[in-house]
Amino acid sequence: MSTLTEWAYPLAESLLAEPLPRRWQHCLGVAERARTIALVLGDDAELLEAAAVLHDIGYAPDLAKTGFHPLDGARYLRDVAGADERVVNLVAHHSCAWMEAEARGLRAELEGEFPRESAHLNDALCYCDMNTTPDGTPTNPIDRVNEIAGRYGPDSLIGTFIRRAEPEILACTSRVLERVSTAKRQPM
């Protein structure tokens, strides 16, 4: 029996590596960030890493149906790939997706189909995503938000959404870093 990550990596690679190599590198970097915070995830460390490597599969040309990648990716994982329900839910709600869904008129659909996982896990995936460049290297959330707004344009739907989400993205990062700091201070 294979592990969740042994299943997730080849699936993400098959969907992203060829048509969207930069997006694939980003997903690998996000998964790498997930491994760096494994100590605060306990039994959910592998779950988060699997969701991290899969979080942007909704951008794959064959999967893009609504144009809203968290929803498209989650639907594919649920309906086609038969993925673990918790991975599906994390992909659906990654990085403040509800705010972008609201801007697109898809919030009721997103929340009606996919329940949110714990705040702890949602924070962790947001932290991993927003601390990784499009090329997969580490960054910080301020530079990442600026990069996204610059790439899409400040008045675009994505540019407006990411600026609206910025305080929550920074708060997620702060909460995760506090958990990591506390865990490192705990006696073994």
Side-chain angles (χ1 to χ4, degrees):
M1 185 168 157
S2 69
T3 66
L4 199 51
T5 53
E6 288 172 340
W7 169 84
Y9 277 86
L11 177 61
E13 182 177 20
S14 73
L15 294 166
L16 295 172
E18 193 173 308
L20 301 169
R22 192 173 188 214
R23 185 71 58 186
W24 171 233
Q25 290 305 307
H26 168 71
C27 289
L28 288 172
V30 174
E32 185 178 325
R33 297 295 90 61
R35 288 190 299 277
T36 70
I37 61 168
L39 75 153
V40 298
L41 298 169
D43 292 341
D44 288 330
E46 186 181 21
L47 171 75
L48 184 74
E49 185 178 345
V53 79
L54 291 165
H55 81 284
D56 275 352
I57 64 165
Y59 281 114
D62 293 343
L63 275 56
K65 306 293 185 227
T66 67
F68 179 47
H69 78 277
L71 187 59
D72 291 338
R75 284 177 172 164
Y76 173 84
L77 288 170
R78 178 192 64 200
D79 300 341
V80 178
D84 179 283
E85 182 179 6
R86 297 181 72 205
V87 169
V88 172
N89 294 336
L90 284 166
V91 168
H93 290 283
H94 77 270
S95 302
C96 305
W98 71 269
M99 288 185 198
E100 184 180 344
E102 189 170 80
R104 292 177 178 275
L106 294 170
R107 185 172 178 183
E109 249 178 280
L110 178 71
E111 293 182 346
E113 288 184 47
F114 304 102
R116 288 188 202 194
E117 285 298 316
S118 70
H120 176 69
L121 285 171
N122 280 312
D123 280 358
L125 186 52
C126 182
Y127 164 84
C128 295
D129 188 17
M130 291 296 135
N131 282 275
T132 305
T133 68
D135 297 311
T137 60
T139 190
N140 65 73
I142 293 171
D143 287 348
R144 178 78 165 118
V145 167
N146 288 337
E147 181 277 321
I148 292 167
R151 184 168 17 122
Y152 288 93
D155 298 326
S156 68
L157 185 141
I158 301 296
T160 303
F161 145 71
I162 202 67
R163 289 294 180 202
R164 181 174 171 226
E166 186 172 19
E168 182 55 23
I169 290 166
L170 295 175
C172 286
T173 294
S174 179
R175 289 188 294 264
V176 170
L177 291 175
E178 179 58 34
R179 284 193 286 272
V180 169
S181 177
T182 299
K184 286 181 176 178
R185 291 192 306 262
Q186 300 297 319
M188 295 289 185

